[in-house]
Amino acid sequence: MTFGAAIKSGFAKYATFSGRAARSEYWWFFLFLLLGNMIAGILDFALFGSSVTTSTDTSVAIQAQSDGPFAAVFALATFIPHLALGWRRMHDSGRSGLYLFFPFLITLGVLTVLAIDAGMTSLLFGGTGPFYSSITGILALIAIFLMILSPFMVLYWLTRPSQPGTNDYGPNPAEVTT
């Protein structure tokens, strides 16, 4: 699939979460998103300038941001097609599209473990912070490790080749003739 065909297909299947998407389709569309975000950011900066925030506190870095609408509009317009394409890409590698949310679920789990640890520590031991309870401390460390690892797992899944033939989600897009 070519760059232009991937963009056309991504928008033609704007909110299609069923079926499969070839690896080339996903990564060409991803390149389009990177380039589009860069161009939108440059347009925002050129037309609307930027606001720079500085602080006398040495722990706070200088932050620059644009107040322009182009990057936000581009991100909103491409969010659903990118999500749908990632969903179909997971189908193409033989996994449920829900695997895209794996990092989010792990992060939610880490926050839950830390909240439980802080609450239980306060109730049981009179402590004020996490990691006082050894069991929840160990669980929190495991969860943090998984939280760091999970985006790389999703990236690995997105780069896997297509399953040959038909799988549970439909025919292989490389083998289908239109």
Side-chain angles (χ1 to χ4, degrees):
M1 180 169 285
T2 65
F3 182 70
I7 296 168
K8 185 178 178 183
S9 174
F11 284 112
K13 299 176 183 176
Y14 192 88
T16 303
F17 289 85
S18 61
R20 294 168 65 171
R23 187 168 38 174
S24 60
E25 180 182 359
Y26 178 80
W27 289 108
W28 279 123
F29 195 81
F30 189 81
L31 178 62
F32 163 71
L33 293 177
L34 289 177
L35 295 174
N37 277 317
M38 285 175 34
I39 291 168
I42 290 169
L43 283 173
D44 280 344
F45 182 76
L47 296 175
F48 299 101
S50 67
S51 59
V52 177
T53 306
T54 59
S55 175
T56 56
D57 184 7
T58 57
S59 66
V60 177
I62 296 174
Q63 298 176 348
Q65 65 184 28
S66 174
D67 295 327
F70 293 115
V73 168
F74 183 79
L76 285 173
T78 58
F79 176 75
I80 292 176
H82 185 219
L83 182 64
L85 192 54
W87 195 277
R88 293 192 315 272
R89 178 70 199 116
M90 284 293 186
H91 286 176
D92 191 44
S93 65
R95 291 169 184 80
S96 169
L98 290 172
Y99 278 90
L100 277 178
F101 296 115
F102 189 62
F104 172 73
L105 295 174
I106 293 293
T107 302
L108 188 64
V110 167
L111 295 176
T112 302
V113 166
L114 291 176
I116 289 170
D117 181 41
M120 294 301 290
T121 300
S122 178
L123 286 174
L124 297 176
F125 306 110
T128 58
F131 300 111
Y132 282 93
S133 170
S134 60
I135 294 173
T136 54
I138 291 169
L139 288 175
L141 289 176
I142 292 169
I144 289 170
F145 173 74
L146 289 174
M147 185 176 76
I148 293 168
L149 183 65
S150 64
F152 295 107
M153 291 173 66
V154 171
L155 182 63
Y156 175 77
W157 293 330
L158 288 171
T159 60
R160 295 300 82 212
S162 299
Q163 278 190 335
T166 302
N167 67 11
D168 293 339
Y169 305 102
N172 186 338
E175 298 171 356
V176 173
T177 58
T178 55

